[in-house]
Amino acid sequence: MAKIIGPGSLIVDVTGFAPHLPVAGETTKGSTLRFGPGGKGSNQLTAAHRAGSEVKIISRRGDDVLGQILKKHYETEGMSEEYIHVDPSGETGSALIEIDESNAQNRIIVIFAANELVTAETVRAAEKDFADCDAVLTQFETTVEAVFAAKELAKKYGKPFILNPAPFIDVPKELFDGVDYITPNETEAEQFTGVNVDSIEGCRAAAAKFFEMGVKHVVITLGVRGVYYTDGTTELTVPAIKVKAVETTGAGDAFNGGFATAIAEGVPVDVALKFATCTSAISVTRLGSSPSMPYRSEILELMKKEFNEEL
Ligand code: RIB
């Protein structure tokens, strides 16, 4: 079983569904409210866990009502809580999510709360598990110093460092130097490079900007247009799989968890992209973010059906 570690966010998603989303000043009658485990970091590692990896998240939450939802999630899934720091007086991260039932699209306000106290020291305290892992995976919902520390440890032990640069925040460009795989979506790719990725030429130009910053492999997720990959020599695209989406929250996280699992297992990148695409496609057919992540057998079944590919 491949081992994946990284600093990542623990957040509870408070999700309201409505036939259409209100404009400013409007009140819309909604249909359902749900509370569930979320956070990009925790979603990605849940996806990796269900896809077959042993995962360790480095994170922080409060000892409050929302924190209990996350504790239950980790216990039910059987995922390690070794590096989850519980702050008795702290507030657990939360996200207010609105889902438009007509198209399954969302709008999210995220409150990082305790996640903003994940320090470089917190990450370094997990050094033994960086030495022992097969891949490091992180995002931008903890702190920049935590991401720097994770990259340093990944480099120290020669492990693939996968960075999902989400959500967009202003970071020093040096953070990208030495990143093995960067996995922005189309919006983030444009925000970090200033290049519109509406076309393959655009993806190529955005990737060139990431290469200038020191990134080695660029993976841009393009929603219904699939995924674009390049290492500067080879270029690949994988089409999206047509499914009936009910909620797209966490679709990118599913992709990253699936991708990290495949990279940690050492499979070729074209196969890793297909594995990740299948992980994401299944997740949008289910409600919730972490709860929507598929299991390895389901991913492999879809991979065989769509791409005639095995892991
Ligand atoms: O990527 C989706 C996630 O972003 C949600 O689960 C929410 O917690 C926000 O952090």
Side-chain angles (χ1 to χ4, degrees), residues 9 11-13 37-40 43 95 97 108 110 141 249-250 253 289:
S9 51
I11 284 170
V12 169
D13 292 348
K40 293 184 193 304
N43 291 342
I97 305 180
I108 304 179
V110 59
E141 277 188 341
T249 316
D253 300 332
S289 49

Side-chain angles (χ1 to χ4, degrees), residues 91-124:
E91 181 192 328
T92 299
S94 55
L96 304 178
I97 305 180
E98 298 173 334
I99 308 283
D100 185 332
E101 291 169 323
S102 71
N103 57 15
Q105 295 301 314
N106 61 29
R107 275 198 316 218
I108 304 179
I109 295 177
V110 59
I111 295 133
F112 287 14
N115 295 290
E116 288 191 291
L117 298 174
V118 178
T119 63
E121 277 317 303
T122 325
V123 174
R124 289 190 197 114

Side-chain angles (χ1 to χ4, degrees), residues 5-299:
I5 190 169
S9 51
L10 282 169
I11 284 170
V12 169
D13 292 348
V14 181
T15 308
F17 295 75
H20 77 270
L21 299 187
V23 295
E26 181 190 357
T27 300
T28 300
K29 181 173 184 247
S31 40
T32 317
L33 181 74
R34 295 166 63 101
F35 285 71
K40 293 184 193 304
S42 190
N43 291 342
Q44 292 179 14
L45 288 177
T46 300
H49 164 73
R50 290 189 177 178
S53 297
E54 185 181 327
V55 302
K56 289 197 176 177
I57 190 168
I58 301 162
S59 194
R60 199 171 183 96
R61 66 168 174 83
D63 191 17
D64 47 13
V65 176
L66 298 185
Q68 297 313 310
I69 293 175
L70 294 160
K71 182 170 175 46
K72 185 164 174 238
H73 174 64
Y74 276 71
E75 285 172 354
T76 309
E77 292 290 327
M79 296 194 298
S80 171
E81 293 177 86
E82 183 177 351
Y83 297 120
I84 295 181
H85 301 265
V86 180
D87 185 349
S89 58
E91 181 192 328
T92 299
S94 55
L96 304 178
I97 305 180
E98 298 173 334
I99 308 283
D100 185 332
E101 291 169 323
S102 71
N103 57 15
Q105 295 301 314
N106 61 29
R107 275 198 316 218
I108 304 179
I109 295 177
V110 59
I111 295 133
F112 287 14
N115 295 290
E116 288 191 291
L117 298 174
V118 178
T119 63
E121 277 317 303
T122 325
V123 174
R124 289 190 197 114
E127 178 161 352
K128 70 173 172 53
D129 282 294
F130 280 84
D132 187 40
C133 76
D134 300 290
V136 176
L137 172 64
T138 193
Q139 330 67 28
F140 287 154
E141 277 188 341
T142 59
T143 60
V144 171
E145 65 171 275
V147 176
F148 264 116
K151 187 180 74 166
E152 275 161 26
L153 288 171
K155 296 289 119 190
K156 179 171 177 182
Y157 294 104
K159 311 295 182 178
F161 181 69
I162 304 165
L163 175 62
N164 175 231
F168 172 78
I169 53 169
D170 200 11
V171 294
K173 289 285 179 277
E174 308 87 72
L175 190 53
F176 296 119
D177 189 21
V179 168
D180 293 296
Y181 296 91
I182 197 159
T183 61
N185 65 19
E186 46 204 326
T187 310
E188 293 142 7
E190 180 167 352
Q191 287 168 319
F192 284 108
T193 66
V195 178
N196 180 294
V197 296
D198 273 357
S199 63
I200 287 292
E201 292 71 29
C203 290
R204 205 172 281 148
K209 296 275 184 193
F210 280 123
F211 292 142
E212 281 168 24
M213 295 182 224
V215 173
K216 296 177 188 160
H217 304 256
V218 178
V219 177
I220 306 177
T221 55
L222 301 166
V224 293
R225 292 189 292 135
V227 57
Y228 170 87
Y229 162 87
T230 182
D231 61 1
T233 311
T234 309
E235 228 178 12
L236 297 168
T237 54
V238 175
I241 299 170
K242 284 197 180 65
V243 289
K244 169 128 185 52
V246 295
E247 186 181 342
T248 58
T249 316
D253 300 332
F255 182 94
N256 277 279
F259 184 69
T261 293
I263 292 297
E265 290 180 14
V267 309
V269 73
D270 61 317
V271 182
L273 293 169
K274 289 172 187 160
F275 188 79
T277 296
C278 292
T279 310
S280 180
I282 299 170
S283 78
V284 302
T285 65
R286 298 171 181 171
L287 295 176
S289 49
S290 285
S292 72
M293 301 307 170
Y295 292 90
R296 187 178 181 91
S297 57
E298 301 173 294
I299 304 166

